[in-house]
């Protein structure tokens, strides 16, 4: 953030860059064996990053003056979310077995590039204000996988839920 209330002049350029990225991974594994068995596995990954690049105060009335040369003003905020979750549950028994696996991934970034209140920009250079949510090199932002298995001589039941969501 370029703080408000300042007068920045006789510089070729001014910039503020903010970025966030990384990998979030969760895994749940469960297993059970017995006369009667039950198991549950869960994996949950959440990325709710907030990334902001700004110039001036976003509240209040203190102004800012940017008198810049040919380099201009650049404000750039970028988030590259990447999250994955998995859940694997397996059960076996002589009589009956129940298993459930749930894998949930949620990505909800807030990315902002903004000029605050009462900011004056002058000069020969360009003004670029950019906010981006980029895909990671893997080609996806959110992924999930769930596997449930149960086996019993008389009764077996299993269920799996997998959900990946970008909002």
């Amino acid at each position: 953030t370029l703080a408000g209330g300042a007068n920045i002049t006789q510089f070729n350029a001014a910039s503020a860059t903010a970025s966030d990225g990384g990998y979030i991974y969760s895994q749940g594994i469960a297993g059970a064996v017995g006369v009667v068995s039950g198991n549950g596995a869960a994996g949950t990954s959440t990325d709710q990053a907030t990334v902001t690049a700004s110039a001036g105060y976003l509240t209040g009335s203190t102004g800012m003056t940017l008198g810049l040369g040919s380099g201009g003003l650049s404000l750039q905020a970028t988030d590259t979310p990447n999250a994955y979750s998995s859940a694997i549950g397996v059960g076996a028994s002589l009589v009956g077995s129940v298993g459930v696996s749930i894998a949930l991934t949620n990505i909800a970034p807030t990315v902002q590039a903004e000029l605050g209140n009462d900011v004056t920009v002058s000069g020969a250079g360009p003004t670029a204000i950019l906010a981006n949510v980029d895909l990671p090199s893997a080609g996806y932002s959110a992924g999930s996988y769930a596997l449930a298995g149960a086996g019993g001589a008389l009764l077996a039941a299993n269920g799996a839920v997998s959900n990946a969501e970008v909002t």
Side-chain angles (χ1 to χ4, degrees), residues 4-111:
N7 291 319
I8 300 173
T9 59
Q10 299 181 356
F11 283 89
N12 185 48
S15 66
T17 302
S19 64
D20 178 65
Y23 185 61
I24 299 170
Y25 178 74
S26 67
Q27 181 178 37
I29 299 175
V33 177
V35 176
V36 176
S37 70
N39 72 75
T44 301
S45 297
T46 301
D47 183 350
Q48 296 177 333
T50 298
V51 183
T52 303
S54 64
Y57 291 120
L58 303 179
T59 59
S61 60
T62 303
M64 177 183 221
T65 301
L66 297 170
L68 305 172
S70 62
L73 172 66
S74 172
L75 302 175
Q76 183 168 358
T78 304
D79 186 25
T80 309
N82 190 357
Y84 188 84
S85 61
S86 68
I88 300 170
V90 178
S93 72
L94 294 175
V95 177
S97 180
V98 176
V100 64
S101 296
I102 300 172
L104 305 173
T105 302
N106 179 270
I107 294 177
T110 301
V111 182

